[in-house]
Amino acid sequence: MCIHCFTRARRCIRACTRTKKAKAVEYMVVDALVEADAAWNSKISDSIWDVKEFIKMDDTLLKQIENSNEAALGKARDIVRRIRRRELYRFVNEYTVPEERVADFKPVLASDITACQGTNNIPGGLKPDDIIVQNLKIDYGKKHRNPVDSVRFFHYWDDEKSISIPKEQVSSLLPHTFVQRTVRVYSRSRDDNYVDAVAQAFTNFQRHNLGQEQQITPSKRQRTADWS
């Protein structure tokens, strides 16, 4: 029963963390704040050293950026307005890291993807700043270990001696892997040429590093289904 509780919790976490549109908005908010911080001479990042300033760093920052006429906030303002118009960063594709590669997994960088781009219709080719790579890790809180191995049980409510229960005695349907890694790629530009170029580079990266396309959904189908 205990492992089933962990499994349900993991499914809930997966459902939340795998929401592609929410993650795209998160990345856009971060980019807008980074641009605004540069325009405001590090006002946002320096606020951590002053409590009175730090408590002002709330959701109203986005409204301040959006309604400002400061020329220096142009990039940040454009990003916030894109969020309002739902012109989000485009999710391109994702793949699950093979089980045998999880233990030695190294986070994938945007530069790793652009290095595999080949020929495309992008003037000068893709740059790392054109891409966002999300290295997603989900486990049960004990890394690669079974969390129930750390749980002790009692046969009856008045027992004074606890025991451990091997999973083999519980069910043959229980998972044998307790960590999952997913690599997900976004394009900052919604232009189809950029999305196509990122998709091809991501496919090439998988072939080069994994020996095959690990993604489940073909790139073309994935982009056709992206309505936002």
Side-chain angles (χ1 to χ4, degrees), residues 29-59:
V29 169
V30 171
D31 283 353
L33 293 178
V34 169
E35 292 290 346
D37 193 42
W40 286 337
N41 297 317
S42 302
K43 170 185 173 182
I44 298 175
S45 54
D46 287 345
S47 67
I48 62 173
W49 308 112
D50 187 334
V51 174
K52 292 182 180 179
E53 290 299 318
F54 183 72
I55 61 175
K56 298 176 184 177
M57 301 296 121
D58 55 22
D59 292 346

Side-chain angles (χ1 to χ4, degrees), residues 9-24 26-27 94 134 136-139 180 182 184 186:
R10 182 172 180 269
R11 287 173 181 167
C12 289
I13 293 173
R14 283 188 61 189
C16 294
T17 58
R18 291 174 67 90
T19 304
K20 303 175 183 69
K21 296 295 188 296
K23 200 65 183 180
E26 178 184 327
Y27 285 130
E94 67 181 5
Q134 179 187 7
L136 180 62
K137 176 186 176 185
I138 302 176
D139 58 33
Q180 175 179 303
T182 302
R184 182 181 290 175
Y186 293 82

Side-chain angles (χ1 to χ4, degrees), residues 112-176:
D112 296 331
I113 306 298
T114 56
C116 300
Q117 62 184 290
T119 58
N120 52 51
N121 296 322
I122 309 302
L126 287 172
K127 306 294 189 299
D129 285 345
D130 297 326
I131 299 173
I132 295 176
V133 180
Q134 179 187 7
N135 293 284
L136 180 62
K137 176 186 176 185
I138 302 176
D139 58 33
Y140 292 93
K142 299 290 288 185
K143 298 184 178 180
H144 62 280
R145 298 188 297 276
N146 182 354
V148 182
D149 289 343
S150 301
V151 178
R152 304 288 293 180
F153 299 89
F154 295 91
H155 285 300
Y156 302 101
W157 68 271
D158 57 349
D159 281 352
E160 296 183 359
K161 184 178 181 180
S162 62
I163 63 169
S164 60
I165 303 177
K167 70 174 185 177
E168 292 79 10
Q169 290 184 319
V170 179
S171 173
S172 60
L173 297 176
L174 295 178
H176 63 277

